[in-house]
PDB file of all heavy atoms in Angstrom:
ATOM      1  N   VAL F 329    -135.746   4.420 120.610  1.00  0.00           N
ATOM      2  CA  VAL F 329    -136.069   5.609 119.811  1.00  0.00           C
ATOM      3  C   VAL F 329    -134.886   6.621 120.108  1.00  0.00           C
ATOM      4  O   VAL F 329    -134.439   7.279 119.145  1.00  0.00           O
ATOM      5  CB  VAL F 329    -137.376   6.285 120.295  1.00  0.00           C
ATOM      6  CG1 VAL F 329    -137.546   7.668 119.679  1.00  0.00           C
ATOM      7  CG2 VAL F 329    -138.438   5.379 119.782  1.00  0.00           C
ATOM      8  N   LEU F 330    -134.499   6.827 121.376  1.00  0.00           N
ATOM      9  CA  LEU F 330    -133.377   7.739 121.566  1.00  0.00           C
ATOM     10  C   LEU F 330    -132.096   7.355 120.891  1.00  0.00           C
ATOM     11  O   LEU F 330    -131.359   8.123 120.375  1.00  0.00           O
ATOM     12  CB  LEU F 330    -133.096   7.806 123.162  1.00  0.00           C
ATOM     13  CG  LEU F 330    -134.212   8.323 123.946  1.00  0.00           C
ATOM     14  CD1 LEU F 330    -133.839   8.333 125.435  1.00  0.00           C
ATOM     15  CD2 LEU F 330    -134.514   9.764 123.542  1.00  0.00           C
ATOM     16  N   ALA F 331    -131.755   6.014 120.825  1.00  0.00           N
ATOM     17  CA  ALA F 331    -130.642   5.472 120.137  1.00  0.00           C
ATOM     18  C   ALA F 331    -130.766   5.842 118.631  1.00  0.00           C
ATOM     19  O   ALA F 331    -129.729   6.202 117.982  1.00  0.00           O
ATOM     20  CB  ALA F 331    -130.467   3.978 120.377  1.00  0.00           C
ATOM     21  N   GLU F 332    -131.990   5.499 118.167  1.00  0.00           N
ATOM     22  CA  GLU F 332    -132.166   5.715 116.696  1.00  0.00           C
ATOM     23  C   GLU F 332    -132.031   7.236 116.294  1.00  0.00           C
ATOM     24  O   GLU F 332    -131.435   7.608 115.282  1.00  0.00           O
ATOM     25  CB  GLU F 332    -133.640   5.493 116.239  1.00  0.00           C
ATOM     26  CG  GLU F 332    -133.912   3.914 116.151  1.00  0.00           C
ATOM     27  CD  GLU F 332    -135.364   3.708 115.850  1.00  0.00           C
ATOM     28  OE1 GLU F 332    -136.116   4.540 115.446  1.00  0.00           O
ATOM     29  OE2 GLU F 332    -135.698   2.501 115.923  1.00  0.00           O
ATOM     30  N   GLU F 333    -132.489   8.153 117.248  1.00  0.00           N
ATOM     31  CA  GLU F 333    -132.297   9.592 116.965  1.00  0.00           C
ATOM     32  C   GLU F 333    -130.886  10.018 117.043  1.00  0.00           C
ATOM     33  O   GLU F 333    -130.418  10.858 116.404  1.00  0.00           O
ATOM     34  CB  GLU F 333    -133.142  10.483 117.904  1.00  0.00           C
ATOM     35  CG  GLU F 333    -134.716  10.266 117.519  1.00  0.00           C
ATOM     36  CD  GLU F 333    -135.549  11.238 118.270  1.00  0.00           C
ATOM     37  OE1 GLU F 333    -135.148  11.939 119.145  1.00  0.00           O
ATOM     38  OE2 GLU F 333    -136.660  11.327 117.743  1.00  0.00           O
ATOM     39  N   ARG F 334    -130.158   9.369 117.990  1.00  0.00           N
ATOM     40  CA  ARG F 334    -128.612   9.747 118.074  1.00  0.00           C
ATOM     41  C   ARG F 334    -127.941   9.325 116.764  1.00  0.00           C
ATOM     42  O   ARG F 334    -127.110  10.013 116.191  1.00  0.00           O
ATOM     43  CB  ARG F 334    -127.959   8.953 119.248  1.00  0.00           C
ATOM     44  CG  ARG F 334    -128.047   9.692 120.540  1.00  0.00           C
ATOM     45  CD  ARG F 334    -127.218   9.066 121.687  1.00  0.00           C
ATOM     46  NE  ARG F 334    -127.569   7.672 121.924  1.00  0.00           N
ATOM     47  CZ  ARG F 334    -128.509   7.164 122.758  1.00  0.00           C
ATOM     48  NH1 ARG F 334    -129.320   8.046 123.346  1.00  0.00           N
ATOM     49  NH2 ARG F 334    -128.620   5.906 122.802  1.00  0.00           N
ATOM     50  N   ALA F 335    -128.336   8.050 116.232  1.00  0.00           N
ATOM     51  CA  ALA F 335    -127.747   7.643 114.930  1.00  0.00           C
ATOM     52  C   ALA F 335    -128.146   8.558 113.795  1.00  0.00           C
ATOM     53  O   ALA F 335    -127.317   8.901 112.944  1.00  0.00           O
ATOM     54  CB  ALA F 335    -128.303   6.246 114.692  1.00  0.00           C
ATOM     55  N   LEU F 336    -129.358   9.107 113.888  1.00  0.00           N
ATOM     56  CA  LEU F 336    -129.860  10.035 112.763  1.00  0.00           C
ATOM     57  C   LEU F 336    -129.153  11.347 112.947  1.00  0.00           C
ATOM     58  O   LEU F 336    -128.741  11.970 111.889  1.00  0.00           O
ATOM     59  CB  LEU F 336    -131.317  10.275 112.801  1.00  0.00           C
ATOM     60  CG  LEU F 336    -132.230   9.144 112.486  1.00  0.00           C
ATOM     61  CD1 LEU F 336    -133.665   9.467 112.760  1.00  0.00           C
ATOM     62  CD2 LEU F 336    -132.106   8.770 110.995  1.00  0.00           C
ATOM     63  N   SER F 337    -128.876  11.820 114.114  1.00  0.00           N
ATOM     64  CA  SER F 337    -128.053  13.017 114.326  1.00  0.00           C
ATOM     65  C   SER F 337    -126.682  12.823 113.847  1.00  0.00           C
ATOM     66  O   SER F 337    -126.044  13.723 113.216  1.00  0.00           O
ATOM     67  CB  SER F 337    -128.074  13.441 115.776  1.00  0.00           C
ATOM     68  OG  SER F 337    -127.369  14.593 116.016  1.00  0.00           O
ATOM     69  N   GLU F 338    -125.994  11.733 114.037  1.00  0.00           N
ATOM     70  CA  GLU F 338    -124.743  11.464 113.549  1.00  0.00           C
ATOM     71  C   GLU F 338    -124.742  11.376 112.056  1.00  0.00           C
ATOM     72  O   GLU F 338    -123.761  11.847 111.392  1.00  0.00           O
ATOM     73  CB  GLU F 338    -124.156  10.151 114.089  1.00  0.00           C
ATOM     74  CG  GLU F 338    -123.749  10.270 115.512  1.00  0.00           C
ATOM     75  CD  GLU F 338    -123.384   8.936 116.198  1.00  0.00           C
ATOM     76  OE1 GLU F 338    -123.225   7.901 115.358  1.00  0.00           O
ATOM     77  OE2 GLU F 338    -123.393   8.808 117.401  1.00  0.00           O
ATOM     78  N   LEU F 339    -125.716  10.766 111.417  1.00  0.00           N
ATOM     79  CA  LEU F 339    -125.788  10.534 110.028  1.00  0.00           C
ATOM     80  C   LEU F 339    -126.061  11.879 109.285  1.00  0.00           C
ATOM     81  O   LEU F 339    -125.491  12.180 108.208  1.00  0.00           O
ATOM     82  CB  LEU F 339    -126.779   9.566 109.696  1.00  0.00           C
ATOM     83  CG  LEU F 339    -126.974   9.018 108.145  1.00  0.00           C
ATOM     84  CD1 LEU F 339    -125.748   8.446 107.628  1.00  0.00           C
ATOM     85  CD2 LEU F 339    -128.217   8.132 108.111  1.00  0.00           C
TER      86      LEU F 339
END
Side-chain angles (χ1 to χ4, degrees):
V329 169
L330 295 177
E332 286 178 14
E333 290 193 347
R334 278 191 301 276
L336 289 171
S337 181
E338 289 173 13
L339 184 61

